[in-house]
Amino acid sequence: MNSIDPKTLAGATIPDATPKPRHRTIGVRVGEGPGSVIVGGEAPIVVQSMTNTDTADIEGTVNQVAALALAGSEIVRITVDRAEAAAAVPRIKEKLLARGVLAPLVGDFHYIGHKLLTDYPDCAQALDKYRINPGNVGFREKKDRQFGAIVELAIKHGKAVRIGANWGSLDQELLTAMMNENAKSARPFDARAVTREALVRSALWSAERAEEIGLGRDRIIISAKVSAVQDLIAAYRMLASRSDYALHLGLTEAGMGSKGIVASSAAMGILLQEGIGDTIRVSLTPEPGGDRTVEVKVAQELLQTMGFRTFVPLVAACPGCGRTTSTVFQELARDIQTWISTSMPAWRETYPGVETLNVAVMGCIVNGPGESKHADIGISLPGTGETPAAPVFIDGQKAMTLRGAGIAAEFKTIVGEYIERRFGEGARPG
């Protein structure tokens, strides 16, 4: 057995903890003016979401788009599935702008997108990007003509396009031809592998066709969505190895609750660590009547916990054990997190940089002081049988000790004062 000297680094191999460099892609501007967003290139990874309202319901759709944008969705997609929805789009855009909601609006088209965009030119102009599914844009002899019509309209109106292939609506003519070819091979591939290849080819072939029609590479984003984690990882590795188009990343039909969150995080976390992905959506199925903005929060938390972006202050909290039979630390952690979430819209304007704040709420003496020291500001609450005192650490140093029934309220006041001191106007140079 090798002997290890804990006091020396001699002979140690310390791996780099940073992700791989971002896969180099062509940047695509979505939208115009102050609300425009760059996807790809050297831009930060963009968070987006999609409404689940009937787009013909103007007020309902405006309210949900506004809520998603307020939650942090930088691009919002809406369904444009019929004439009533297409006719509503200009009014939706107008009302959003009147509210000061500038997030680019994407139209999701299936089957009759070419007709809707032609018949409703105000809709075509109001949208900031069109999403085309090459698996259902048209069939047989109509496919190329209808796909081409949408691309030509995007060129005419100066819009970006996402070519989004999907496992559940893959071009069956292409898949059948590839399956037949595979069956004749001396060493055939697994059927899932052939399906992944067909998905990737569908996206890439369609993007190349759009270029041939005249759409610039700086107007094209592609995606190849599946609902299984390993298939998604494999498909996007293939896309990244074969092209430099900007990539929209997401697990389709991820599911509800913890299943959808875990599956999306597992798949996209691996790809993001490998430098793959320029914009992400977490496609969660909400509970009936549930909050649609949860998918935005999960996407932000994924990017922030992996160190790619910062959106809101992080609250590290003790998970609890037999030493923490009191629920005080749980309640305080919840109160602090809720307080931060509700305060962030105003804080973003008043305290630039506050999203980088780290707060620790710990439950006992075992890890509490150490974790609190690592945070910008932290508190170590007393565990079961411990002295009823809570040391507070600020910037790594013990600043004070709180006692009594008002610890939670006192700590929130201290956090607020710290934010004002560090991020307020008086702390800014000049």
Side-chain angles (χ1 to χ4, degrees), residues 194-429:
V194 177
T195 305
R196 289 195 299 269
E197 177 66 24
L199 187 73
V200 169
R201 287 192 188 186
S202 176
L204 292 176
W205 180 87
S206 299
E208 290 168 3
R209 178 69 185 120
E211 282 195 73
E212 290 173 1
I213 295 169
L215 190 65
R217 295 176 74 81
D218 62 347
R219 291 287 186 178
I220 299 173
I221 299 169
I222 63 173
S223 64
K225 289 191 172 185
V226 301
S227 56
V229 169
Q230 296 296 346
D231 288 316
L232 188 85
I233 294 168
Y236 274 87
R237 284 172 173 166
M238 293 159 69
L239 283 176
S241 70
R242 299 183 193 180
S243 78
D244 60 359
Y245 293 114
L247 296 177
H248 170 94
L249 195 60
L251 192 73
T252 191
E253 290 110 24
M256 184 179 288
S258 60
K259 185 270 179 185
I261 293 171
V262 170
S264 294
S265 299
M268 291 194 283
I270 289 172
L271 290 167
L272 292 169
Q273 186 70 11
E274 294 180 3
I276 299 171
D278 299 301
T279 178
I280 68 170
R281 182 197 170 200
V282 177
S283 301
L284 295 180
T285 303
E287 299 285 347
D291 185 356
R292 189 68 168 181
T293 65
V294 170
E295 68 175 50
V296 179
K297 296 170 186 174
V298 172
Q300 289 181 328
E301 288 172 6
L302 174 61
L303 293 177
Q304 184 154 345
T305 55
M306 293 191 71
F308 292 112
R309 293 188 63 183
T310 53
F311 297 97
V312 296
L314 289 176
V315 179
C318 171
C321 68
R323 296 178 62 90
T324 56
T325 52
S326 167
T327 61
V328 173
F329 78 93
Q330 296 168 326
E331 292 163 359
L332 180 56
R334 180 196 60 202
D335 289 349
I336 292 291
Q337 187 70 70
T338 301
W339 175 54
I340 286 172
S341 297
T342 56
S343 300
M344 272 308 292
W347 283 358
R348 284 192 186 97
E349 301 296 325
T350 309
Y351 303 117
V354 70
E355 66 275 5
T356 63
L357 179 70
N358 286 300
V359 181
V361 179
M362 307 307 294
C364 79
I365 200 170
V366 173
N367 291 319
E371 289 287 351
S372 296
K373 287 179 182 178
H374 287 302
D376 295 314
I377 182 167
I379 187 170
S380 179
L381 294 161
T384 304
E386 294 178 10
T387 303
V392 174
F393 296 83
I394 298 177
D395 294 331
Q397 301 296 319
K398 183 178 177 181
M400 63 199 72
T401 299
L402 305 181
R403 293 179 173 84
I407 286 177
E410 286 185 67
F411 183 64
K412 285 173 68 174
T413 299
I414 293 166
V415 173
E417 291 172 348
Y418 178 84
I419 290 171
E420 173 63 38
R421 187 167 61 252
R422 179 173 169 184
F423 301 102
E425 188 173 345
R428 297 170 209 163

Side-chain angles (χ1 to χ4, degrees), residues 54-133:
D54 178 356
T55 305
D57 174 6
I58 295 174
E59 290 301 322
T61 302
V62 167
N63 289 337
Q64 193 171 93
V65 171
L68 290 165
L70 182 63
S73 183
E74 294 158 300
I75 296 175
V76 181
R77 182 159 46 114
I78 61 175
T79 297
V80 187
D81 57 345
R82 65 193 196 281
E84 292 81 0
V89 169
R91 290 284 293 138
I92 290 169
K93 184 74 169 182
E94 179 183 312
K95 285 178 173 288
L96 287 169
L97 292 175
R99 287 196 192 185
V101 178
L102 304 179
L105 210 57
V106 180
D108 196 55
F109 294 99
H110 299 275
Y111 306 111
I112 58 171
H114 63 291
K115 178 172 174 54
L116 293 175
L117 287 168
T118 300
D119 292 349
Y120 295 89
D122 288 347
C123 168
Q125 183 57 45
L127 292 168
D128 296 294
K129 184 174 75 173
Y130 310 153
R131 187 268 177 144
I132 312 172
N133 183 338

